Amino acid sequence: MYKCGECDFQAKIKCHVISHQRLHQTNMLKCTQCSFQTKYREALKRHQILHKDAAEVRVFVCEICGYTAKRKHNLKGHMLKHKDQGVVMHKCSLCKFQTKYKEALSRHKRLIHTDDKVHQCPHCDYQAKIVSYLKKHLLQHKDPSELKLYKCSYCNIATKTISQRNSHMKIAHSPPKFQCAVCGHKTRGKNNLKNHILRNHPREQWSKSTF
């Protein structure tokens, strides 16, 4: 263990002790051009960049819009504004599909534009293009007692997959979010509300906010 010579602090790594020992320094490093002061030499160097002319400083330039920054992390923050700009899109040559990710394009082509079935079920003639589809199919061959079932928190329904359970809970047990402005009828889906209004209320009762 490395120990501090002025207090009980100790650490396994020497640089941690050196960093800690700066806390005991009484001599502060001061900027010669303003009132800024710090215990850390690197912090002073970073601060002094602010007083230099642009011609004297290494400038970080945005390749998209030409923005310049004296510090690299400032440029990184600026680049977040261009997150969706200048991105190379991978386009499908057979349809209008496009994506930022090359792997997603390959998956799209395999699913939509090919008839290849590469994953074979060992119990029947079923074939799938994607492993996850085969795994879902294999549940049909399992004995119900072997299946891990996902139970609804509100009723006795149990499903084979967690996504089916979540979908059931959303449809059957989530509180109604949409309310008819004419009669107060409540429903869980926006389309259900539209259908209710079209079926039950004459057009003259509709308002601009109805839909």
Side-chain angles (χ1 to χ4, degrees):
M1 297 290 286
Y2 296 92
K3 298 181 180 180
C4 173
E6 299 187 44
C7 70
D8 295 331
F9 179 84
Q10 56 184 1
K12 294 180 180 179
I13 301 174
K14 188 176 181 179
C15 65
H16 290 175
V17 175
I18 294 173
S19 179
H20 159 79
Q21 286 175 331
R22 293 195 182 104
L23 299 175
H24 298 296
Q25 291 179 1
T26 55
N27 296 326
M28 301 294 287
L29 301 172
K30 298 180 180 180
C31 175
T32 57
Q33 299 184 55
C34 71
S35 59
F36 176 83
Q37 57 183 359
T38 178
K39 294 178 181 179
Y40 306 101
R41 190 174 300 278
E42 288 302 316
L44 179 61
K45 286 181 180 179
R46 288 196 298 270
H47 164 77
Q48 288 175 330
I49 290 175
L50 300 175
H51 295 298
K52 290 186 177 182
D53 293 331
E56 300 176 275
V57 181
R58 179 187 175 189
V59 176
F60 298 91
V61 182
C62 173
E63 296 179 355
I64 298 175
C65 70
Y67 167 86
T68 59
K70 294 180 180 180
R71 296 176 181 174
K72 190 174 183 179
H73 74 269
N74 288 344
L75 177 61
K76 286 184 177 180
H78 163 80
M79 291 300 293
L80 294 175
K81 298 178 181 179
H82 297 301
K83 188 167 60 173
D84 296 322
Q85 300 175 18
V87 176
V88 176
M89 299 299 290
H90 299 277
K91 299 180 180 180
C92 177
S93 58
L94 302 171
C95 69
K96 295 181 179 180
F97 176 83
Q98 59 181 1
T99 176
K100 297 178 184 178
Y101 309 104
K102 191 174 182 179
E103 297 79 7
L105 177 60
S106 298
R107 186 174 185 272
H108 160 80
K109 286 184 174 180
R110 187 169 71 252
L111 282 175
I112 306 301
H113 300 300
T114 67
D115 294 325
D116 297 338
K117 308 284 186 178
V118 293
H119 302 288
Q120 175 71 51
C121 174
H123 306 293
C124 69
D125 295 333
Y126 177 83
Q127 293 178 320
K129 296 179 182 180
I130 296 179
V131 174
S132 60
Y133 290 0
L134 177 61
K135 287 181 178 179
K136 190 173 182 179
H137 163 79
L138 287 172
L139 294 175
Q140 299 177 18
H141 295 292
K142 282 193 173 184
D143 187 279
S145 61
E146 299 177 356
L147 290 174
K148 178 182 178 180
L149 297 178
Y150 298 88
K151 296 181 179 180
C152 174
S153 303
Y154 303 99
C155 68
N156 295 325
I157 291 290
T159 63
K160 294 179 181 179
T161 67
I162 193 169
S163 60
Q164 290 174 340
R165 191 274 309 275
N166 292 343
S167 178
H168 157 76
M169 290 175 62
K170 183 177 180 180
I171 294 171
H173 301 295
S174 62
K177 294 181 179 179
F178 302 93
Q179 184 172 3
C180 176
V182 180
C183 70
H185 171 76
K186 294 181 179 180
T187 180
R188 295 186 179 91
K190 190 173 184 179
N191 287 333
N192 292 341
L193 177 60
K194 286 182 179 180
N195 292 333
H196 159 80
I197 293 172
L198 291 172
R199 285 196 308 267
N200 297 284
H201 302 296
R203 185 178 293 272
E204 57 269 18
Q205 292 182 341
W206 300 355
S207 66
K208 291 182 179 180
S209 61
T210 299
F211 300 112

